[in-house]
Structure formats: structure tokens, C-alpha cells
Amino acid sequence: MKKESDKKTALSAMLGKCINFLDSFVTPKRLLCFFIVVYIVGLIPLFWIGTYNYPVADDYTFGAACRSVWVESHSVMAVIVRAATRAWEYYHNWAGCLSSSFFMALQPAVFGEGFYKFTPVLMVGIITLGTFYLMNVIFVKLLKTNAYLINIITVLMLLITIQRTPEPCEGLFWYNGAVHYTFMHGISLFFYGLILSALMQKSERKKCRDFIISAVLGFIAGLGNYMTALNVGIVFAMIIFAIVLSKSFKQQRLIVIPAVVFYLSFIMNVTAPGNALREAVSEGMSPIKAIFVSFYYVLDYCLGEWTGWVELVFVILIATFFWNASKGIDFKFPCPFFVIFINYCILAAMITPPLYGTGNIEAGRIKSLIYIMYILLLTLTVCYVTGWAQKWFNENRTVALDAATKINSATGKFAENYLLSINSKITVTACIVFLFFGSLICVIPQPEYYTCSIAAVDLLNGNAAAYGAAMQERVDIYNTSAGLDVEVAPLPAKPKLICTSDISVDREDWVNAGVCRFYGINSVCLEVVE
């Protein structure tokens, strides 16, 4: 009996030491550094495989006119002017996405194929910066929450967004598709952040500055893809309605500037002459059916296909961090179920335009954008519901704090080590360990589980290098074959992240024709291998 008692005492002492170590070692600052390192390490394979990335399909079609101008003049301004005229032609002949088509025409390979490798850097960069900016404006600047905890939540959100996106090839690596959807979403994040920042500015000069910059971004977003433009229109209308409801419109009257600019650009987008031409050859759904199906797809794709154990662990982590972050917030987070419903509707609204236009959301770039928005709204929803739960739980409780140990006398805020409770630290540590071992178990039999593992496989087996060498050989042939008929060898490999399509044996194929216009060759096709 005594031996058993001694063992229990020793075990209890050991457990106590582990908990004490965990309590002192695990701090928000260290956790933030840890997650940032994990995020950066996860990006290394993506940017590495991006060095083998080359234009494909519509990259050639949209960039041909600007490429011709660049080769003839080497004038950046002349190329920008040509991109604007190319976008205007597209606006009248196919779709109203004027700003998207402008950026499509300016695809990096216009100035040299070597610049195309920066496509994933650009897409990941704008999503990262835009998300950090928006989250800090909402939670740090507006709600006065602890920056460490909010930045941890932001890094976690970005980690899931980039590494679990269902179609990273079209969403991050294919410039034409990514700039139309992912890049425009990044613009909208800055737009939301600037609007909220302007509303909080006390200086009229700074308020005017933020509203003017947001007007520029609103113009770009309003003339981008319809999914993002519609979402911005809905969210912006809700913000304006809240201002009117709070009877503060007189103080925020300058919001008229971005409102007029955005909604005029949005109207210009949906009423473009080219839309009618495109609708004549497209088979979409009726507006009512598209709305109902969009609500179904939120359940089928977002809450069904795209919500696995990784996303669930992510939700636990977000809730844990925000439970602690919300302790210092005065806001009561009212009507959580109404907020859940509103966010559900916002996500469904994003899905409606492609259903109305084409009858489906099968394009990889569209799925990628929906997932990115889903993770953003999921994060905001979890934070809101957690904040409500925390306030409800402590509503009738008085929490006594030791002012000498838990309050920093200089700032009046919680000392860093007490931002997270010991139970929260145990939960976070357990989730990290579970994510690590769970990821190993999943990635080994299924390398497609994460974006970085997809990249790592094609880097390690040589597919990426073989593809890059073959594409560079083609580029050398194209650049020295102006006016000629060209045949090129089939690609030896097609990496999953950087090859969406290829030319064919048919010289009349539209992809082949785009390559011809881009390089000024007469015709191109694949060699027939017998």
C-alpha cells in the first residue's frame, strides 16, 4: 500500500512539475512565434515549386497584346495603356470585370517568363497582409483585444487557408485564374479594413484619407469577379445601414465617397455590354434556383466536403484563444445565432453568381475562393460565438484578480503570462500535438492532404524540375520562331500545382492559338508520339 501511495505521490509531483513548466513556458508571444515559423516553413515548398511555374492557357490569351507592346517598345507605361485598352475590349465583348481583365492582361510573363514564378508569392502575400490588416482593425483597434492572441488566431487562419485550399493550382499558382479571384478577395480585405479604420478615426484628415483609399480599392473590387463584388456590396450595405441606425451618419458622412464609387463600379460591372454576349452562349440557372442551390452548396461543400478533422481542431484552437482574448472586451456579442445566419447567407451569396452565370462551381479557382472566404467567415463566427459564450458564462460572476501578480501596474492590463489560463495552455498544447501526429498519419498515404505536401512530392520526385526544363526549352523555341510553324515535345511530367493544362496536337485549339498570339508564331502543336 505504501509503495502504491509513493508511486501516486511521485506521479502527482511529476504531473505538477509538467503543468508548472507548461504554465511558465507557454506564452502568447512564444506561441505566436511558433505558429509564424510553422506558417513560413509551410510556404517554402510552395515558393520553391513556384520557381518552375510557367504561363498556361488564358495567360497567353490575355497577355498577348501587352507582350507585343513590351517586345516592341520596352515601355512599362505603353504596356499599362495597352492593358487598359485590352480590358475595355473585354468589357464590351465578354464580361464586365474591367479591373480583373486589366490585371490579367498584365500577367508577369509579359515582361519575361522568369517573372511568372512570383505568382504564388503575390497571391499568398496579398491574402496574408489583407487578413492581418482586417483582423487587427476589427479586434485590436476596434474591440481593443490583445494583439498577440489575435495575431495567433490570424496565423492559424492563414495556415488552414493556404494549406487546405481545395484547388491550390488555380487559386494560387495559375496567374489568370488567381488574379481574378484570389487577388480580388485580397483587395476586398483591405477595403473592409480601411472602411472600419476610417469610421474609428478621430482626425478628419485621416478619416478622409482612409475613405479615399478605400474608394480606390472599392472601384477595383466592384469591377472584379462577381463573387467578391457581390459580397463587398452586401457587407458594405450592412455597414452603412448600421451607421444610419446608430444615428451617426452626420459624423461619418464621408463614407459617401467610397459608397458612390463602389456601387457605381458594381453597376458598371453587371451592366457591361459583354455580359449579354456571354450569357447568350452560357447555360446558367435562373436567379431563384441559383439562390436556393447556393444555400445547399454551403452545406455540401463547406460544412461537408471541406470540413475535416483539421478544420475542427482549428475551431477548438480559435475558440480557446478567443475565450481568453474576449475577457477584456466590453462588447457583449449579442444575437449569436443571428450572426451565424448572416455569415451563412454571405457565404451563400458568394456562390450564387457562378451558378447563375454557368450553372456550376466546378472551376478550381472558384472553389478555392469559396474556401478562403469560408475559413474567414468561420473564424469570425467562432470568435463571435465564443465571445458571447464567455460573456454569458461570466455575466453573474465576479472574478477576483491578484493585482500584484496579474495586473501590470504601468499599463493596467493583464501580464502576458496570464493572458492564457493553464487549462487553455493544456488545450492548445494537446491540439498542436494532435495536429502534428494526425498530419503525419494523413500525409504519408495521401500526399494531397496539404498544399505544401503536394509541392514537396513533385519537388522530391523530380516532376517539377522536369516540367520546368521542358517549358524553358519550349520558351526558347517560341522566342526564336516568329512567323514559323512549330512542333514541340509533350511534357515529361505535369506537377499538380503548376500545370493546369497544355497545348494539344490540334493546331486550331484555342490554347495553341493563344501561344501563337503571345509569341508571334504562325502555329504550334505537340509532336505526335507513336
Side-chain angles (χ1 to χ4, degrees), residues 69 83 125 286 306 320 384 390:
V69 172
S286 67
W306 297 337
T320 301
Y384 195 96
Q390 201 275 339

Side-chain angles (χ1 to χ4, degrees), residues 122-142:
L122 175 62
M123 302 310 158
V124 171
I126 194 167
I127 292 296
T128 300
L129 295 176
T131 304
F132 264 107
Y133 179 67
L134 179 60
M135 291 290 286
N136 275 270
V137 168
I138 294 173
F139 292 105
V140 179
K141 192 173 181 179
L142 178 60

Side-chain angles (χ1 to χ4, degrees), residues 54-128:
Y54 283 83
V56 292
D58 280 323
D59 288 323
Y60 294 115
T61 304
F62 276 89
C66 289
R67 166 78 174 195
S68 177
V69 172
W70 175 252
V71 170
E72 292 174 2
S73 67
H74 279 76
S75 168
V76 174
M77 184 55 65
V79 172
I80 292 175
V81 171
R82 185 65 185 95
T85 58
R86 174 70 178 85
W88 191 245
E89 293 165 3
Y90 186 76
Y91 177 82
H92 282 84
N93 296 304
W94 191 244
C97 308
L98 194 63
S99 57
S100 287
S101 54
F102 172 77
F103 289 117
M104 290 178 195
L106 285 176
Q107 65 105 335
V110 163
F111 306 100
E113 288 79 6
F115 291 107
Y116 197 84
K117 68 181 70 172
F118 295 108
T119 297
V121 178
L122 175 62
M123 302 310 158
V124 171
I126 194 167
I127 292 296
T128 300

Side-chain angles (χ1 to χ4, degrees), residues 80-403:
I80 292 175
V81 171
R82 185 65 185 95
T85 58
R86 174 70 178 85
W88 191 245
E89 293 165 3
Y90 186 76
Y91 177 82
H92 282 84
N93 296 304
W94 191 244
C97 308
L98 194 63
S99 57
S100 287
S101 54
F102 172 77
F103 289 117
M104 290 178 195
L106 285 176
Q107 65 105 335
V110 163
F111 306 100
E113 288 79 6
F115 291 107
Y116 197 84
K117 68 181 70 172
F118 295 108
T119 297
V121 178
L122 175 62
M123 302 310 158
V124 171
I126 194 167
I127 292 296
T128 300
L129 295 176
T131 304
F132 264 107
Y133 179 67
L134 179 60
M135 291 290 286
N136 275 270
V137 168
I138 294 173
F139 292 105
V140 179
K141 192 173 181 179
L142 178 60
L143 296 178
K144 310 298 181 185
T145 319
N146 179 266
Y148 281 123
L149 296 179
I150 294 306
N151 286 330
I152 289 172
I153 291 172
T154 305
V155 175
L156 283 169
M157 175 169 52
L158 289 168
L159 190 60
I160 296 296
T161 298
I162 301 301
Q163 297 298 340
R164 290 278 291 168
T165 182
E167 299 286 348
C169 180
E170 292 192 17
L172 299 174
F173 289 85
W174 180 37
Y175 178 85
N176 188 272
V179 81
H180 185 39
Y181 290 98
T182 305
F183 184 82
M184 287 300 161
H185 175 72
I187 292 291
S188 74
L189 297 178
F190 282 106
F191 174 81
Y192 298 137
L194 278 164
I195 291 294
L196 295 176
S197 177
L199 294 175
M200 290 182 283
Q201 294 287 5
K202 295 181 179 179
S203 166
E204 284 296 314
R205 183 179 62 84
K206 291 181 179 179
K207 185 186 292 289
C208 183
R209 177 202 63 193
D210 286 351
F211 276 137
I212 289 174
I213 297 174
S214 66
V216 174
L217 297 181
F219 177 79
I220 295 172
L223 286 165
N225 72 79
Y226 298 112
M227 299 168 70
T228 300
L230 180 59
N231 263 3
V232 172
I234 293 171
V235 174
F236 198 16
M238 292 168 59
I239 293 173
I240 295 172
F241 179 72
I243 292 172
V244 173
L245 206 63
S246 64
K247 298 180 180 180
S248 60
F249 185 78
K250 186 176 180 180
Q251 292 78 14
Q252 306 294 351
R253 61 189 180 279
L254 291 177
I255 200 172
V256 171
I257 298 172
V260 170
V261 171
F262 168 76
Y263 286 109
L264 283 178
S265 66
F266 184 56
I267 292 170
M268 183 180 173
N269 192 341
V270 298
T271 59
N275 289 341
L277 299 175
R278 186 172 186 175
E279 288 177 9
V281 296
S282 300
E283 295 183 6
M285 297 180 182
S286 67
I288 300 299
K289 182 179 179 180
I291 292 171
F292 278 104
V293 173
S294 68
F295 278 95
Y296 162 72
Y297 276 155
V298 173
L299 295 175
D300 186 44
Y301 280 98
C302 299
L303 300 180
E305 184 177 337
W306 297 337
T307 302
W309 68 269
V310 175
E311 285 76 14
L312 294 177
V313 173
F314 160 75
V315 167
I316 295 172
L317 284 170
I318 297 302
T320 301
F321 285 117
F322 200 76
W323 178 273
N324 293 271
S326 61
K327 291 176 182 177
I329 299 177
D330 294 329
F331 186 62
K332 300 299 182 183
F333 300 94
C335 307
F337 296 105
F338 178 70
V339 171
I340 293 172
F341 175 71
I342 290 296
N343 286 344
Y344 183 93
C345 292
I346 290 173
L347 193 57
M350 168 171 271
I351 301 174
T352 303
L355 293 177
Y356 172 73
T358 63
N360 65 79
I361 57 169
E362 294 305 311
R365 53 202 177 275
I366 292 176
K367 287 183 177 180
S368 180
L369 176 59
I370 295 170
Y371 183 82
I372 291 171
M373 189 65 178
Y374 165 54
I375 294 300
L376 173 63
L377 290 176
L378 178 63
T379 302
L380 296 176
T381 302
V382 170
C383 287
Y384 195 96
V385 173
T386 302
W388 167 81
Q390 201 275 339
K391 297 303 176 185
W392 178 83
F393 184 74
N394 292 304
E395 188 175 13
N396 298 312
R397 298 175 63 205
T398 301
V399 181
L401 297 172
D402 183 354

